[in-house]
Amino acid sequence: MGFLLVIPLFLIRFGLLYAANKDALARAARFAPLAGREKVAYGLYQISNVALIVCPCFLGIKLEPPCLFGAGAVVYGAGVVLLAVSTVQFAHPSPSGLVDRGVYRLSRNPMYVAYFLYFAGCALLLQSVALFVLLAVFQASAHGIIKAEERWCLAAFGDTYRAYLGAVRRYL
């Protein structure tokens, strides 16, 4: 039954994003130019991403103990909601191309925060230590990609992005 947990990821990441703005799907697929260790981070990010999506398909959701199931459901639900909101807002950047409205005023990377919550919720619901380990690899490698994205945004948006960096936290 764990495969049911990954369905919303695809519906939001591809279906909702495409419905909100067809061009945003192509924009979301582009990665910033990578340098040095960021290339290794990108490889680990892709591998851990695939593993986090595939592994739940072979696991079952555990209802006991109820407190762990409840915590998992809340964290998973928060991840799904934040992913949906941040995806729709990503689809509608400002005229300059920078996404800095809505939840992007609270976090420069709400989609990455949403992925973390989403996969942490999956790990709790499936009670899988392996998923928690994969999530740690995913998060560490995502940080490397985020650094590359920030460098690219500084080059693309200049002082506007520099002000955004000073005003909004990277994660929370």
Side-chain angles (χ1 to χ4, degrees), residues 48 51-52 55 59 123 126-137:
S48 62
L52 283 166
C55 285
L59 300 171
L126 300 169
Q127 296 180 28
S128 172
V129 173
L131 283 179
F132 277 114
V133 171
L134 287 169
L135 179 58
V137 172

Side-chain angles (χ1 to χ4, degrees), residues 142-163:
H143 182 72
I145 291 168
I146 288 167
K147 299 287 271 183
E149 289 175 355
E150 289 176 345
R151 191 175 54 250
W152 180 85
C153 286
L154 274 169
F157 301 109
D159 288 338
T160 302
Y161 190 72
R162 192 168 282 104

Side-chain angles (χ1 to χ4, degrees), residues 11 25 32 38 45-46 57 60 71 107 116 121 136 145:
L11 292 176
L25 191 58
E38 293 166 352
Y45 174 83
Q46 293 298 354
C57 296
S107 168
F116 178 81
I145 291 168

Side-chain angles (χ1 to χ4, degrees), residues 51-136:
L52 283 166
I53 292 168
V54 171
C55 285
C57 296
F58 299 99
L59 300 171
I61 297 170
K62 307 244 190 304
L63 302 176
E64 296 292 331
C67 61
L68 198 53
F69 174 79
V74 168
V75 172
Y76 176 81
V80 169
V81 169
L82 181 58
L83 184 58
V85 169
S86 59
T87 297
V88 169
Q89 291 174 353
F90 175 85
H92 302 289
S94 66
S96 71
L98 183 62
V99 181
D100 59 356
R101 293 180 242 164
V103 293
Y104 287 86
R105 290 184 356 201
L106 306 172
S107 168
R108 297 193 308 262
N109 299 285
M111 273 199 264
Y112 286 108
V113 173
Y115 290 137
F116 178 81
L117 292 172
Y118 178 90
F119 289 127
C122 288
L124 286 167
L125 288 168
L126 300 169
Q127 296 180 28
S128 172
V129 173
L131 283 179
F132 277 114
V133 171
L134 287 169
L135 179 58

